[in-house]
Amino acid sequence: DTGVSQDPRHKITKRGQNVTFRCDPISEHNRLYWYRQTLGQGPEFLTYFQNEAQLEKSRLLSDRFSAERPKGSFSTLEIQRTEQGDSAMYLCASSRRDSSSGNTIYFGEGSWLTVV
Amino acid sequence: AQSVTQLDSQVPVFEEAPVELRCNYSSSVSVYLFWYVQYPNQGLQLLLKYLSGSTLVESINGFEAEFNKSQTSFHLRKPSVHISDTAEYFCAVSAASYDKVIFGPGTSLSVIP
């Protein structure tokens, strides 16, 4: 059973450029989450999907951020016109929505973004 | 909406001493509760969880947490810590209706030799 995988693991980009991160969840998991984490802070919720439907997007999230999960499998998170404040680790997680697992989410290793 | 408070941002403790990391949550509905651990430069790993049933839950590496509904707490404890327990610990809550999972700010546990 493979875990959640994220790509790329590290990305350095110039301010104003667009970046895209990919997440492949655990295969039988129907929910997929994106979080952002900065140094010394807890994961901040960004958005989540059930299958291909985006259920919620954080109100704190700028319109420059967009996420998709077109076929209910992998997901992409795109950040347009990056700013230095976007520098953070972007975490993907997945879960299986059922009574036995509750809402237990499992994380990938994260994608580090540095905007210079 | 749910929220999580972890009052202790840093907890230093000597090796083999006991430790308690505090977590309080706020919710108007039934909840699931979780503790995650994050080692340096790694992703978050599930440490233990409370879904239902016994209010005392344990992990495989000696940690335990107790769900206290009246005090809305889910404190994490270990009777004797090891150097390898040095990490960030995050408490998290989700409404039992399968809502999103919300994390606290974390507690940095430093075990001193």
Side-chain angles (χ1 to χ4, degrees):
Chain A
D1 181 26
T2 57
V4 178
S5 63
Q6 295 187 242
D7 183 70
R9 293 291 315 280
H10 301 272
K11 178 72 175 179
I12 300 174
T13 190
K14 291 183 178 180
R15 188 176 55 187
Q17 297 294 305
N18 299 344
V19 297
T20 299
F21 300 111
R22 175 182 170 123
C23 172
D24 288 90
I26 295 171
S27 59
E28 68 269 24
H29 285 185
N30 54 6
R31 284 203 167 180
L32 186 147
Y33 302 77
W34 286 100
Y35 290 84
R36 176 171 59 192
Q37 186 180 26
T38 54
L39 199 62
Q41 301 296 317
E44 174 193 9
F45 169 79
L46 296 180
T47 187
Y48 77 126
F49 295 83
Q50 178 157 310
N51 300 316
E52 66 274 13
Q54 188 172 22
L55 297 185
E56 185 174 344
K57 182 177 176 180
S58 171
R59 285 172 288 178
L60 301 176
L61 205 57
S62 160
D63 289 343
R64 297 183 295 105
F65 288 71
S66 63
E68 294 183 340
R69 196 182 182 198
K71 296 184 178 180
S73 57
F74 74 92
S75 175
T76 57
L77 175 69
E78 181 183 20
I79 309 173
Q80 296 181 329
R81 305 181 303 281
T82 53
E83 302 172 356
Q84 288 189 323
D86 297 332
S87 295
M89 182 160 69
Y90 290 85
L91 293 163
C92 179
S94 68
S95 70
R96 186 179 63 215
R97 184 186 183 278
D98 62 33
S99 58
S100 64
S101 62
N103 205 18
T104 306
I105 63 174
Y106 297 90
F107 283 90
E109 291 294 313
S111 293
W112 281 101
L113 172 65
T114 302
V115 181
V116 297
Chain B
Q2 290 71 45
S3 65
V4 178
T5 303
Q6 293 181 252
L7 291 176
D8 306 306
S9 59
Q10 295 183 342
V11 174
V13 61
F14 286 104
E15 191 173 15
E16 297 184 3
V19 69
E20 179 180 78
L21 306 183
R22 295 181 293 169
C23 171
N24 289 87
Y25 69 92
S26 173
S27 177
S28 58
V29 298
S30 297
V31 295
Y32 299 139
L33 292 159
F34 310 88
W35 277 99
Y36 286 81
V37 59
Q38 186 174 34
Y39 299 102
N41 300 314
Q42 294 187 23
L44 283 81
Q45 303 173 29
L46 178 69
L47 187 60
L48 47 75
K49 62 184 177 183
Y50 169 79
L51 301 182
S52 64
S54 172
T55 58
L56 184 66
V57 292
E58 299 177 349
S59 72
I60 59 173
N61 58 350
F63 282 94
E64 64 178 29
E66 186 162 19
F67 169 53
N68 188 319
K69 187 175 181 180
S70 62
Q71 297 187 1
T72 60
S73 67
F74 191 55
H75 301 331
L76 182 69
R77 293 185 288 263
K78 189 171 186 180
S80 176
V81 295
H82 189 267
I83 293 291
S84 60
D85 293 324
T86 295
E88 293 281 334
Y89 291 80
F90 296 96
C91 183
V93 64
S94 168
S97 58
Y98 305 105
D99 198 2
K100 60 186 180 291
V101 181
I102 300 299
F103 286 80
T107 297
S108 177
L109 174 64
S110 298
V111 180
I112 305 164

PDB file of all heavy atoms in Angstrom, chain B residues 59-77:
ATOM      1  N   SER B  59      -0.732   4.811  21.634  1.00  0.00           N
ATOM      2  CA  SER B  59       0.050   4.619  20.423  1.00  0.00           C
ATOM      3  C   SER B  59       1.009   3.452  20.632  1.00  0.00           C
ATOM      4  O   SER B  59       1.196   2.976  21.751  1.00  0.00           O
ATOM      5  CB  SER B  59       0.841   5.890  20.089  1.00  0.00           C
ATOM      6  OG  SER B  59       1.906   6.051  21.011  1.00  0.00           O
ATOM      7  N   ILE B  60       1.651   3.028  19.557  1.00  0.00           N
ATOM      8  CA  ILE B  60       2.551   1.886  19.646  1.00  0.00           C
ATOM      9  C   ILE B  60       3.860   2.247  20.326  1.00  0.00           C
ATOM     10  O   ILE B  60       4.588   1.367  20.759  1.00  0.00           O
ATOM     11  CB  ILE B  60       2.835   1.286  18.254  1.00  0.00           C
ATOM     12  CG1 ILE B  60       3.456   2.352  17.335  1.00  0.00           C
ATOM     13  CG2 ILE B  60       1.576   0.721  17.642  1.00  0.00           C
ATOM     14  CD1 ILE B  60       3.916   1.782  16.011  1.00  0.00           C
ATOM     15  N   ASN B  61       4.187   3.522  20.426  1.00  0.00           N
ATOM     16  CA  ASN B  61       5.471   3.910  21.025  1.00  0.00           C
ATOM     17  C   ASN B  61       5.307   4.528  22.412  1.00  0.00           C
ATOM     18  O   ASN B  61       6.121   5.335  22.840  1.00  0.00           O
ATOM     19  CB  ASN B  61       6.233   4.859  20.106  1.00  0.00           C
ATOM     20  CG  ASN B  61       5.461   6.119  19.778  1.00  0.00           C
ATOM     21  OD1 ASN B  61       4.269   6.227  20.089  1.00  0.00           O
ATOM     22  ND2 ASN B  61       6.105   7.085  19.172  1.00  0.00           N
ATOM     23  N   GLY B  62       4.235   4.170  23.116  1.00  0.00           N
ATOM     24  CA  GLY B  62       4.121   4.508  24.526  1.00  0.00           C
ATOM     25  C   GLY B  62       3.376   5.786  24.863  1.00  0.00           C
ATOM     26  O   GLY B  62       3.204   6.109  26.045  1.00  0.00           O
ATOM     27  N   PHE B  63       2.905   6.530  23.875  1.00  0.00           N
ATOM     28  CA  PHE B  63       2.092   7.708  24.161  1.00  0.00           C
ATOM     29  C   PHE B  63       0.645   7.293  24.406  1.00  0.00           C
ATOM     30  O   PHE B  63       0.186   6.271  23.890  1.00  0.00           O
ATOM     31  CB  PHE B  63       2.130   8.694  22.991  1.00  0.00           C
ATOM     32  CG  PHE B  63       3.384   9.510  22.914  1.00  0.00           C
ATOM     33  CD1 PHE B  63       4.446   9.101  22.124  1.00  0.00           C
ATOM     34  CD2 PHE B  63       3.492  10.702  23.617  1.00  0.00           C
ATOM     35  CE1 PHE B  63       5.610   9.853  22.049  1.00  0.00           C
ATOM     36  CE2 PHE B  63       4.646  11.465  23.540  1.00  0.00           C
ATOM     37  CZ  PHE B  63       5.707  11.039  22.757  1.00  0.00           C
ATOM     38  N   GLU B  64      -0.062   8.098  25.181  1.00  0.00           N
ATOM     39  CA  GLU B  64      -1.481   7.886  25.373  1.00  0.00           C
ATOM     40  C   GLU B  64      -2.171   9.245  25.473  1.00  0.00           C
ATOM     41  O   GLU B  64      -1.548  10.255  25.806  1.00  0.00           O
ATOM     42  CB  GLU B  64      -1.780   7.064  26.635  1.00  0.00           C
ATOM     43  CG  GLU B  64      -1.379   7.755  27.928  1.00  0.00           C
ATOM     44  CD  GLU B  64      -1.748   6.923  29.148  1.00  0.00           C
ATOM     45  OE1 GLU B  64      -1.785   5.680  29.058  1.00  0.00           O
ATOM     46  OE2 GLU B  64      -1.999   7.525  30.209  1.00  0.00           O
ATOM     47  N   ALA B  65      -3.465   9.255  25.140  1.00  0.00           N
ATOM     48  CA  ALA B  65      -4.246  10.487  25.252  1.00  0.00           C
ATOM     49  C   ALA B  65      -5.630  10.120  25.756  1.00  0.00           C
ATOM     50  O   ALA B  65      -6.140   9.035  25.459  1.00  0.00           O
ATOM     51  CB  ALA B  65      -4.332  11.193  23.907  1.00  0.00           C
ATOM     52  N   GLU B  66      -6.215  11.005  26.517  1.00  0.00           N
ATOM     53  CA  GLU B  66      -7.540  10.761  27.063  1.00  0.00           C
ATOM     54  C   GLU B  66      -8.509  11.843  26.632  1.00  0.00           C
ATOM     55  O   GLU B  66      -8.258  13.040  26.820  1.00  0.00           O
ATOM     56  CB  GLU B  66      -7.496  10.686  28.589  1.00  0.00           C
ATOM     57  CG  GLU B  66      -8.836  10.278  29.204  1.00  0.00           C
ATOM     58  CD  GLU B  66      -8.700   9.783  30.622  1.00  0.00           C
ATOM     59  OE1 GLU B  66      -7.665  10.078  31.259  1.00  0.00           O
ATOM     60  OE2 GLU B  66      -9.632   9.101  31.092  1.00  0.00           O
ATOM     61  N   PHE B  67      -9.611  11.401  26.062  1.00  0.00           N
ATOM     62  CA  PHE B  67     -10.671  12.312  25.648  1.00  0.00           C
ATOM     63  C   PHE B  67     -11.506  12.665  26.871  1.00  0.00           C
ATOM     64  O   PHE B  67     -12.059  11.783  27.526  1.00  0.00           O
ATOM     65  CB  PHE B  67     -11.536  11.641  24.580  1.00  0.00           C
ATOM     66  CG  PHE B  67     -12.802  12.370  24.251  1.00  0.00           C
ATOM     67  CD1 PHE B  67     -12.784  13.707  23.902  1.00  0.00           C
ATOM     68  CD2 PHE B  67     -14.029  11.711  24.276  1.00  0.00           C
ATOM     69  CE1 PHE B  67     -13.950  14.386  23.579  1.00  0.00           C
ATOM     70  CE2 PHE B  67     -15.205  12.377  23.962  1.00  0.00           C
ATOM     71  CZ  PHE B  67     -15.171  13.705  23.609  1.00  0.00           C
ATOM     72  N   ASN B  68     -11.602  13.956  27.163  1.00  0.00           N
ATOM     73  CA  ASN B  68     -12.414  14.422  28.276  1.00  0.00           C
ATOM     74  C   ASN B  68     -13.444  15.386  27.717  1.00  0.00           C
ATOM     75  O   ASN B  68     -13.142  16.554  27.445  1.00  0.00           O
ATOM     76  CB  ASN B  68     -11.535  15.095  29.336  1.00  0.00           C
ATOM     77  CG  ASN B  68     -12.304  15.423  30.606  1.00  0.00           C
ATOM     78  OD1 ASN B  68     -13.447  15.882  30.545  1.00  0.00           O
ATOM     79  ND2 ASN B  68     -11.700  15.190  31.751  1.00  0.00           N
ATOM     80  N   LYS B  69     -14.664  14.895  27.563  1.00  0.00           N
ATOM     81  CA  LYS B  69     -15.695  15.698  26.915  1.00  0.00           C
ATOM     82  C   LYS B  69     -16.085  16.912  27.759  1.00  0.00           C
ATOM     83  O   LYS B  69     -16.294  18.000  27.230  1.00  0.00           O
ATOM     84  CB  LYS B  69     -16.930  14.832  26.634  1.00  0.00           C
ATOM     85  CG  LYS B  69     -17.992  15.525  25.814  1.00  0.00           C
ATOM     86  CD  LYS B  69     -19.126  14.571  25.475  1.00  0.00           C
ATOM     87  CE  LYS B  69     -20.170  15.263  24.621  1.00  0.00           C
ATOM     88  NZ  LYS B  69     -21.283  14.335  24.276  1.00  0.00           N
ATOM     89  N   SER B  70     -16.150  16.735  29.063  1.00  0.00           N
ATOM     90  CA  SER B  70     -16.589  17.834  29.923  1.00  0.00           C
ATOM     91  C   SER B  70     -15.582  18.988  29.932  1.00  0.00           C
ATOM     92  O   SER B  70     -15.956  20.155  30.045  1.00  0.00           O
ATOM     93  CB  SER B  70     -16.824  17.334  31.347  1.00  0.00           C
ATOM     94  OG  SER B  70     -15.631  16.846  31.911  1.00  0.00           O
ATOM     95  N   GLN B  71     -14.305  18.634  29.804  1.00  0.00           N
ATOM     96  CA  GLN B  71     -13.273  19.665  29.777  1.00  0.00           C
ATOM     97  C   GLN B  71     -12.802  19.980  28.363  1.00  0.00           C
ATOM     98  O   GLN B  71     -11.875  20.788  28.188  1.00  0.00           O
ATOM     99  CB  GLN B  71     -12.078  19.226  30.645  1.00  0.00           C
ATOM    100  CG  GLN B  71     -12.435  19.057  32.111  1.00  0.00           C
ATOM    101  CD  GLN B  71     -11.225  18.796  32.977  1.00  0.00           C
ATOM    102  OE1 GLN B  71     -10.088  18.756  32.496  1.00  0.00           O
ATOM    103  NE2 GLN B  71     -11.450  18.600  34.267  1.00  0.00           N
ATOM    104  N   THR B  72     -13.429  19.387  27.396  1.00  0.00           N
ATOM    105  CA  THR B  72     -13.074  19.537  25.970  1.00  0.00           C
ATOM    106  C   THR B  72     -11.561  19.480  25.779  1.00  0.00           C
ATOM    107  O   THR B  72     -10.938  20.364  25.176  1.00  0.00           O
ATOM    108  CB  THR B  72     -13.638  20.848  25.368  1.00  0.00           C
ATOM    109  OG1 THR B  72     -13.111  21.975  26.082  1.00  0.00           O
ATOM    110  CG2 THR B  72     -15.149  20.854  25.426  1.00  0.00           C
ATOM    111  N   SER B  73     -10.979  18.409  26.305  1.00  0.00           N
ATOM    112  CA  SER B  73      -9.533  18.264  26.227  1.00  0.00           C
ATOM    113  C   SER B  73      -9.150  16.904  25.655  1.00  0.00           C
ATOM    114  O   SER B  73      -9.939  15.943  25.694  1.00  0.00           O
ATOM    115  CB  SER B  73      -8.898  18.436  27.607  1.00  0.00           C
ATOM    116  OG  SER B  73      -9.263  17.368  28.468  1.00  0.00           O
ATOM    117  N   PHE B  74      -7.934  16.842  25.167  1.00  0.00           N
ATOM    118  CA  PHE B  74      -7.380  15.592  24.611  1.00  0.00           C
ATOM    119  C   PHE B  74      -5.872  15.661  24.826  1.00  0.00           C
ATOM    120  O   PHE B  74      -5.089  15.708  23.899  1.00  0.00           O
ATOM    121  CB  PHE B  74      -7.758  15.469  23.131  1.00  0.00           C
ATOM    122  CG  PHE B  74      -7.473  14.118  22.523  1.00  0.00           C
ATOM    123  CD1 PHE B  74      -7.981  12.958  23.077  1.00  0.00           C
ATOM    124  CD2 PHE B  74      -6.721  14.017  21.345  1.00  0.00           C
ATOM    125  CE1 PHE B  74      -7.745  11.717  22.500  1.00  0.00           C
ATOM    126  CE2 PHE B  74      -6.480  12.785  20.759  1.00  0.00           C
ATOM    127  CZ  PHE B  74      -6.992  11.632  21.336  1.00  0.00           C
ATOM    128  N   HIS B  75      -5.456  15.660  26.076  1.00  0.00           N
ATOM    129  CA  HIS B  75      -4.041  15.810  26.416  1.00  0.00           C
ATOM    130  C   HIS B  75      -3.249  14.550  26.090  1.00  0.00           C
ATOM    131  O   HIS B  75      -3.728  13.427  26.278  1.00  0.00           O
ATOM    132  CB  HIS B  75      -3.885  16.138  27.904  1.00  0.00           C
ATOM    133  CG  HIS B  75      -4.582  17.397  28.325  1.00  0.00           C
ATOM    134  ND1 HIS B  75      -4.805  18.465  27.483  1.00  0.00           N
ATOM    135  CD2 HIS B  75      -5.125  17.756  29.520  1.00  0.00           C
ATOM    136  CE1 HIS B  75      -5.423  19.428  28.117  1.00  0.00           C
ATOM    137  NE2 HIS B  75      -5.646  19.023  29.355  1.00  0.00           N
ATOM    138  N   LEU B  76      -2.021  14.762  25.660  1.00  0.00           N
ATOM    139  CA  LEU B  76      -1.124  13.663  25.282  1.00  0.00           C
ATOM    140  C   LEU B  76      -0.104  13.459  26.389  1.00  0.00           C
ATOM    141  O   LEU B  76       0.495  14.430  26.864  1.00  0.00           O
ATOM    142  CB  LEU B  76      -0.410  14.012  23.971  1.00  0.00           C
ATOM    143  CG  LEU B  76       0.538  12.963  23.393  1.00  0.00           C
ATOM    144  CD1 LEU B  76      -0.241  11.755  22.882  1.00  0.00           C
ATOM    145  CD2 LEU B  76       1.371  13.585  22.265  1.00  0.00           C
ATOM    146  N   ARG B  77       0.121  12.204  26.762  1.00  0.00           N
ATOM    147  CA  ARG B  77       1.047  11.923  27.852  1.00  0.00           C
ATOM    148  C   ARG B  77       1.968  10.757  27.501  1.00  0.00           C
ATOM    149  O   ARG B  77       1.622   9.893  26.690  1.00  0.00           O
ATOM    150  CB  ARG B  77       0.278  11.561  29.126  1.00  0.00           C
ATOM    151  CG  ARG B  77      -0.526  12.679  29.729  1.00  0.00           C
ATOM    152  CD  ARG B  77      -1.137  12.246  31.055  1.00  0.00           C
ATOM    153  NE  ARG B  77      -2.221  11.291  30.870  1.00  0.00           N
ATOM    154  CZ  ARG B  77      -3.505  11.633  30.839  1.00  0.00           C
ATOM    155  NH1 ARG B  77      -3.856  12.903  30.972  1.00  0.00           N
ATOM    156  NH2 ARG B  77      -4.427  10.719  30.681  1.00  0.00           N
TER     157      ARG B  77
END
